[in-house]
Every structure is written in C-alpha cells, then in structure tokens.
C-alpha cells in the first residue's frame, strides 16, 4: 500500500500551473498572482501631511504657547490632489489637508486644533518639531521593495496595495476547469422521489462544492450509467472540455466498476491502494493530455480523497504557493483506537479552550457515515502504525474550516 504523502507527491507531479491571464485588480479577489511584483515607486510617492493643519518651518514656532501664540501669514492652501507648488519661507504658513503634498520649505505640520486663523493670519498655540505629522516619501515602501510574491492568494489587503502601486491589470492564474463525473446506476437526483434501492446522488453536490471552494471552475457532467461504453464516452468528452477530470465511484473491484478500464483505454492509468482510511482506492491517470483522478464512491471517501489529492492538485494548477490545508495541534477529548496499517483521518469538531484547541471526534467514522461531516472542522491524523490515541493527548488536525469561519 502506498503512503498518503507519496500518493499526493505523484498526483502533484501529474498537474502543472495554468497559463496566467490578465485581470483588473478590482476583479482579482481570491485569485492567485502569477509573478513577483515590486514597488515601481516609493510609497507614499511624496512627503505628505498626516493631519489637517498648517505646514510651517518648525523653527518659526518653537516659542509658541497658549499664552503667547506665534502668528504667521497664511500663504495659500494645499488640498490632497494638488500638485504642491507653494513654498513656505520663514514667517509664513500654508493651510494643508491630510494627504496633501508638504510644500517646499516646510518641515513640520501644526494640527488645526492647535491654531486659530483670522484675516490671513494664523495663531499657532503649540510648537511642532521637524518631521512631525509628515509622512515622508518611501515611509511604507522604497522603490524596488517586494510587494506580493508569486503564488499569493489576493485578499483585500494585497489588492489595495497593488492598486496603490498602479498594478492593474494583474497576471493571474485561472482556476482549472474541473469536469465532475459520478458513476452508478443506483443514483438519482436529490430532487427525485427515491424508489426501492435507489440512492440520491450526493457526491455530485459534494464534489462540485469542494471544487468551487478550492478555486476550480466546475464543468458538470452528471451521472454516468454503469456500462463500459457510457463510462468511456463520458470520460472522453469530459477530458476534452476540462483541465482536470474527477470522478466518483467505479474504481473498486466490483463487477460494475468500469472507470479503470475506460481510462486505460483512453490514456494511461495508475491504480493505487493508498494506506488511508477512508478512501483507499485512488486512480491517477491521463485521458489524452488531461489529468484524471478517480475517487471511490462512498460519500465520506470522496471528501477525504478530495482533501488529500484533488484540492492540492487544483491549488497547484492555480499556482498557489501553499498547496496543503493548514494544520494545528489540538487536545483530543476522547480515546480512540484502530488497527495498524493505514493512516486514519478522524473527522473532528474543534473548540477553543484556555490552552488552545480541543478536537472531538464527530461520531462514527465509517466511510458511509455522512452525519459526521456536519459541523466537521477538519480531520485529526491517526498515524499509520498507531493503534491508540488517548484522551488528553495532542493530535495534528488538518483544518478545513474554523468555527465561525465563512465557507
Ligand atoms: P462504488 O465505489 O461505485 O462501488 O460506490 C460505493 C458506494 O458509494 C455505494 O454504496 C454507492 O451507492 C455509493 N455512491 C457511489 N456514488 C455515489 C454518489 N454519487 N452519491 C452518493 N453515494 C454514492
Ligand atoms: Mg458504483
């Protein structure tokens, strides 16, 4: 049996980052930047005022106090956006607004609260010092400084900085088009009335949601009948219209599991038994030039298989720097046991406590048990050769979602 990390290494070896496309900075939320970007100019670009007030020469107002204000001539006004062509010489002040360029000759700002102005003269009631309330050019970033690295996912903060620097459009890697195919004659739509023995197709819903959540673009294919012809035809069509094909079901050793044979016929396949639970059988293949990942049909297996293999593959195609979910250490609240030989991914709920986080198994862990995916925050790793994890011990949890976090 193949170790999970080795299986993931092979999956990641089979997919490549997609070609970048231009996107306006205002449309790039959640996208992945394709290149390193550097500051084309200092930030701020010019010395500017941090306050509404008066630009002065600090030396002129050293003696200013409430009882003995210093008076200066007001020599005009600079607003944010003005080119800042005024000059301050000794004995003069220029009225200035926040963000406006500091006039030539001025070296300090007196906030408006420390002044009163009347008929072209300003009374300064408190001194200022050189550089006070001035944001110097390059205070934040010097020209050439690194702004955002290739492979970063852009959130509001990164986008705002890039916008300030005039970076729009941006070279972004798109999310891959992912064809989602489920196999099984027993499957019916969630909206349909279920006849005897029929099973509602929940995997389509789950996989589409997982693809969207990980930044891929779903190409829906729906259900495929359990015949060699139907499976082959659907896989060929799926590969033509997508960057990655993901299927559920039909990769076990049952009489109606035709996915392996179909992929073999259309391209190339590796079938693995991965030393994990749930989700042991995994198929990696190519159909033409399109990579293919086949997951077993059990509803929990597809979640675990998706998290271990498909999400990292999608993230690599998007050009993300970090391919794996974040992990945290948490305190296990219940003793759990298993047989050695496979890495178990134990679905857990996380809750904060005084020392950090507690992880509580969400219930029965069978690969058909869907109730344990509700309010599930991630999976605790119960390592391959371990047989018992005591209540109170530390476990590593691969975090899917923290309590209170948006989906
Ligand atoms: P398979 O891997 O095709 O043998 O499927 C294993 C189990 O998962 C069977 O009980 C299937 O009914 C169930 N299953 C397969 N596909 C789906 C699906 N799309 N939605 C819900 N359950 C499924
Ligand atoms: Mg099946």
């Amino acid at each position: 049996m193949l170790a999970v990390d080795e299986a993931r290494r092979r999956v990641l070896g089979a997919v490549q980052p997609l070609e970048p496309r231009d996107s306006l900075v205002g449309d790039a939320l959640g996208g992945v930047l394709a290149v390193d970007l550097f500051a084309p100019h200092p930030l701020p670009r010019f010395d500017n005022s941090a306050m509404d007030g008066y630009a002065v020469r600090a030396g002129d107002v050293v003696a200013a106090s409430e009882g003995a204000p210093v008076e200066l001539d007001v020599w005009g006004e600079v607003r944010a956006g003005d080119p800042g062509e005024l000059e301050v010489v000794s004995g003069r002040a220029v009225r200035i607004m926040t963000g406006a360029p500091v006039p030539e000759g001025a070296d300090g700002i007196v906030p408006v609260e420390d002044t009163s102005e009347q008929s072209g003269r300003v009374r300064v009631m408190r001194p200022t010092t050189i550089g006070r309330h001035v944001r110097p050019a390059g205070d934040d970033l010097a020209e050439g400084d690194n702004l955002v690295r290739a492979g970063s996912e852009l959130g509001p903060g990164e986008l705002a900085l890039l916008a300030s620097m005039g970076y729009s459009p941006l070279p972004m890697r798109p999310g891959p088009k992912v064809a989602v195919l489920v196999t099984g004659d027993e499957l019916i739509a969630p909206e349909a009335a279920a006849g005897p023995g029929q099973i509602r197709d929940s995997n389509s819903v789950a996989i589409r949601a997982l693809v969207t959540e990980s930044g891929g673009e779903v190409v829906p294919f729906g259900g495929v009948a359990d015949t060699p012809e139907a499976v082959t035809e659907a896989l060929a069509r799926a590969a033509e219209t997508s960057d990655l094909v993901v299927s559920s079901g039909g990769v076990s050793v049952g009489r109606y599991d035709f996915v392996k044979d179909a992929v073999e016929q259309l391209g190339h396949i590796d079938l693995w038994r991965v030393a994990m639970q749930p989700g042991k059988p995994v198929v990696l293949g190519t159909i033409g030039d399109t990579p293919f990942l086949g997951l077993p049909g059990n509803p929990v297996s597809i979640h675990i298989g998706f998290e271990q293999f498909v999400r990292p593959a999608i993230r690599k195609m998007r050009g993300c720097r970090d391919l794996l979910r974040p992990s945290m250490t948490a305190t296990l609240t219940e003793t759990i046991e298993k047989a050695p030989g496979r890495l178990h991914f134990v679905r857990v709920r996380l809750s904060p406590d005084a020392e950090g986080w507690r992880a509580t198994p969400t219930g029965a862990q069978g690969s058909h048990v869907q109730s344990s995916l509700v309010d599930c925050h991630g999976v605790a790793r119960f390592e391959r050769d371990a047989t018992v994890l005591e209540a109170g011990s530390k476990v590593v949890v691969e975090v899917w979602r923290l309590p209170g976090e948006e989906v």
Side-chain angles (χ1 to χ4, degrees):
M1 266 197 286
L2 202 58
V4 177
D5 292 349
E6 173 58 20
R8 190 187 307 108
R9 209 182 56 72
R10 294 189 192 177
V11 168
L12 290 175
V15 297
Q16 298 309 325
L18 300 176
E19 284 304 310
R21 276 190 225 143
D22 279 350
S23 166
L24 293 178
V25 68
D27 297 333
L29 180 65
V32 183
L33 189 64
V35 297
D36 286 325
L37 289 179
F38 301 90
H41 55 70
L43 188 71
R45 279 195 301 133
F46 46 85
D47 292 358
N48 69 91
S49 179
M51 302 286 273
D52 293 325
Y54 293 84
V56 299
R57 296 171 79 104
D60 281 359
V61 297
V62 239
S65 70
E66 201 92 39
V70 172
E71 286 203 4
L72 301 169
D73 284 327
V74 178
W75 207 251
E77 176 178 282
V78 267
R79 296 172 55 185
D82 285 344
E85 281 150 357
L86 292 173
E87 202 187 333
V88 170
V89 296
S90 192
R92 287 184 192 161
V94 163
R95 202 182 306 119
I96 193 164
M97 309 300 144
T98 304
V102 175
E104 190 75 37
D107 57 18
I109 306 292
V110 181
V112 72
E113 298 84 335
D114 296 342
T115 65
S116 65
E117 187 184 326
Q118 227 171 24
S119 7
R121 303 269 293 165
V122 60
R123 306 174 121 224
V124 175
M125 261 91 73
R126 241 175 244 139
T128 189
T129 49
I130 291 176
R132 189 150 171 76
H133 304 310
V134 175
R135 302 176 187 140
D139 187 37
D140 187 349
L141 288 161
E143 184 179 333
D145 279 355
N146 185 236
L147 297 177
V148 183
R149 284 192 294 156
S152 300
E153 284 159 88
L154 303 183
E158 290 80 15
L159 291 176
L161 176 62
L162 294 175
S164 292
M165 289 299 191
Y167 276 119
S168 186
L170 295 166
M172 310 288 294
R173 291 195 200 275
K177 290 201 213 92
V178 183
V180 178
L181 237 112
V182 300
T183 66
D185 286 339
E186 73 278 28
L187 302 175
I188 55 166
E191 294 77 18
Q198 291 187 311
I199 290 173
R200 293 207 178 86
D201 172 18
S202 60
N203 288 359
S204 289
V205 174
I207 300 176
R208 286 187 213 174
L210 287 161
V211 167
T212 305
E213 200 198 39
S214 45
E217 191 190 316
V218 174
V219 183
F221 260 82
V224 181
D226 282 325
T227 68
E229 297 75 29
V231 173
T232 309
E233 192 267 331
L235 285 172
R237 236 173 352 109
E240 271 167 30
T241 49
S242 67
D243 302 306
L244 173 68
V245 179
V246 177
S247 75
S248 100
V251 295
S252 304
V253 290
R255 285 193 65 175
Y256 302 97
D257 290 336
F258 298 119
V259 171
K260 292 165 296 188
D261 293 347
V263 179
E264 189 135 56
Q265 203 183 313
L266 295 165
H268 165 80
I269 146 170
D270 282 316
L271 172 63
W272 303 323
R273 291 166 68 236
V274 181
M276 64 191 242
Q277 164 103 339
K280 181 174 59 174
V282 174
V283 177
L284 171 67
T286 46
I287 303 172
D289 296 332
T290 310
F292 166 80
L293 271 165
L295 305 173
N298 274 310
V300 179
S301 304
I302 59 124
H303 265 266
I304 303 294
F306 190 97
E307 288 296 336
Q308 295 304 317
F309 307 116
V310 186
R311 181 186 300 274
I314 290 176
R315 290 180 65 77
K316 181 169 178 191
M317 295 175 96
R318 294 173 64 209
C320 296
R321 199 170 45 238
D322 304 313
L323 301 184
L324 304 185
R325 292 278 204 185
S327 295
M328 64 153 76
T329 306
T331 308
L332 190 66
T333 60
E334 293 167 16
T335 298
I336 50 178
E337 296 182 10
K338 71 166 176 68
R342 292 208 251 164
L343 166 58
H344 283 212
F345 292 105
V346 182
R347 284 148 265 163
V348 293
R349 216 156 275 153
L350 292 168
S351 52
D353 69 8
E355 280 126 59
W357 293 89
R358 283 183 302 168
T360 303
T362 53
Q365 298 286 323
S367 61
H368 63 291
V369 178
Q370 288 188 275
S371 56
S372 57
L373 287 170
V374 174
D375 286 334
C376 175
H377 297 126
V379 285
R381 290 172 67 99
F382 196 166
E383 296 295 341
R384 197 166 170 169
D385 294 323
T387 55
V388 61
L389 283 176
E390 301 284 354
S393 64
K394 298 286 182 201
V395 286
V396 174
V397 177
E398 298 179 3
V399 180
W400 293 355
R401 189 200 325 174
L402 286 176
E405 196 176 6
E406 289 97 45
V407 175

